[in-house]
Amino acid sequence: GRALCDVFKRDYRVFGLDLENCNKLKNFCLCDITKFNQVKKTILAAAPDIVIHTAAYPDVDGCEKNREIAKVVNTQGAVNIAKVSQEIDAALFFISTDYVFDGKKESSYRESDRPSPLNAYGRQKLEAEEFIRRNLSKYFIIRTSWLYGKGGRNFVDTIINSANANSELKVVDDQIGGPTYVVDLAGALKALVNKIKTAPKKYAGIYNITNSGKCSWYEFAKTILKIKNIEIRITPLKSFRLTRPAKRPENSLLNNSKFNRLTHKPMRRWKKALCAYLES
């Protein structure tokens, strides 16, 4: 959300919504997406042409343990925003996840592949996707993966903090995906908005957007420590040795070809994006 506001405010009038106060943005409102009347009042007041919905309960294990609460945010919150977007005929961009897939495919997932989530978080996001697809004609479901950036908890900062506090790290090496820098994702969304804004119904659909390339969590962690010049023993770990409430897909790779063909602006490699984040 922060990255999107920073990227879009250069060329668009931006209204930011959050549960907590944000002093960086001029046109800013407090809004709880789980309360329909709040959502309706806030969005109607702004009367936007485009709504980008990024809010979520992203703690995957937390979603497994607190399914009812998480569903209110991840599914009903999205439904609330979709209903109001439909009412004012705004194009809705919904940030979804690689976790709508079970990870059993050997190659990267395309938008047309059939979802089969392994965990509650994936099912909640998929239910939101399905409502949006059924009820809106101007919708853009953006599936992405392994997000990191400033302003929130993320894998990159966790690895650095853990390395500074411990003598050894153990990281899963049997799950692969595409780490994605939120600044790059925000820029990609702006490129997509610029392309579709004159004919949103024509281009409506699902789009995969991640930084290009692939790695395991273990390879990701090793690269983070190498860039930061942190020397510490790091050991690969198999997923089955972890006792976590939610299952994770082994393969989270998303194919960006559809986005690339439409915008002609492919995402940069994940290592370059990571360097940019760590140097910012």
Side-chain angles (χ1 to χ4, degrees):
R2 291 179 178 90
L4 283 165
C5 288
D6 288 341
V7 167
F8 272 85
K9 69 183 181 183
R10 302 165 198 166
D11 302 296
Y12 292 84
R13 189 181 183 193
V14 177
F15 295 83
L17 308 180
D18 206 342
L19 279 171
E20 299 175 352
N21 193 26
C22 173
N23 296 318
K24 291 179 64 178
L25 199 64
K26 184 178 180 181
N27 297 312
F28 173 80
C29 295
L30 296 174
C31 183
D32 183 343
I33 64 167
T34 68
K35 295 178 170 56
F36 179 76
N37 289 337
Q38 273 193 38
V39 172
K40 184 172 182 177
K41 180 180 178 181
T42 305
I43 294 180
L44 288 180
D49 299 306
I50 296 166
V51 175
I52 304 179
H53 174 38
T54 64
Y57 186 143
D59 178 350
V60 180
D61 289 326
C63 288
E64 209 69 31
K65 294 184 289 185
N66 305 296
R67 296 189 185 192
E68 291 185 9
I69 296 172
K71 187 171 182 176
V72 170
V73 177
N74 290 332
T75 305
Q76 189 57 50
V79 168
N80 291 341
I81 289 173
K83 286 181 176 178
V84 181
S85 298
Q86 181 187 34
E87 183 174 335
I88 64 172
D89 197 33
L92 174 64
F93 285 71
F94 172 59
I95 308 301
S96 192
T97 174
D98 54 305
Y99 280 16
V100 298
F101 297 113
D102 59 16
K104 295 179 181 179
K105 187 179 179 182
E106 293 185 2
S107 58
S108 58
Y109 282 94
R110 294 183 178 273
E111 292 85 352
S112 56
D113 287 325
R114 184 176 181 179
S116 180
L118 295 175
N119 52 51
Y121 175 70
R123 288 191 293 272
Q124 291 158 9
K125 297 292 274 190
L126 180 59
E127 287 179 28
E129 281 190 15
E130 290 172 343
F131 179 89
I132 291 166
R133 286 193 297 105
R134 285 196 308 266
N135 293 280
L136 276 69
S137 59
K138 293 160 56 173
Y139 72 88
F140 299 85
I141 293 167
I142 311 300
R143 290 177 181 157
T144 190
S145 66
W146 297 21
L147 294 179
Y148 64 90
K150 291 184 178 179
R153 292 178 57 191
N154 65 73
F155 182 79
V156 179
D157 293 346
T158 297
I159 286 295
I160 294 169
N161 293 335
S162 297
N164 289 328
N166 298 280
S167 59
E168 179 184 2
L169 294 181
K170 295 182 179 181
V171 183
V172 168
D173 74 338
D174 56 358
Q175 297 172 19
I176 61 169
T180 304
Y181 183 22
V182 293
V183 171
D184 287 14
L185 178 59
L189 283 169
K190 186 176 180 182
L192 186 56
V193 166
N194 289 340
K195 180 67 180 181
I196 64 89
K197 62 184 178 182
T198 57
K201 290 182 181 180
K202 176 182 177 181
Y203 298 108
I206 302 172
Y207 291 84
N208 295 335
I209 307 179
T210 65
N211 280 116
S212 63
K214 65 179 181 179
C215 64
S216 67
W217 289 112
Y218 172 71
E219 292 169 323
F220 192 17
K222 284 184 66 177
T223 305
I224 294 164
L225 298 178
K226 182 178 179 180
I227 294 171
K228 293 295 290 183
N229 293 314
I230 298 174
E231 293 187 5
I232 186 176
R233 183 180 178 186
I234 180 167
T235 305
L237 183 70
K238 299 303 178 188
S239 299
F240 74 87
R241 295 191 177 278
L242 295 175
T243 54
R244 295 190 293 190
K247 293 181 180 179
R248 270 77 165 172
E250 291 184 4
N251 176 18
S252 284
L253 283 175
L254 301 176
N255 187 305
N256 288 350
S257 297
K258 182 180 177 181
F259 169 79
N260 294 344
R261 287 194 305 270
L262 180 61
T263 64
H264 302 290
K265 293 187 177 182
M267 298 281 278
R268 62 179 163 177
R269 304 287 293 182
W270 69 267
K271 287 185 180 180
K272 287 188 175 181
L274 177 61
C275 285
Y277 173 65
L278 293 175
E279 292 168 2
S280 64

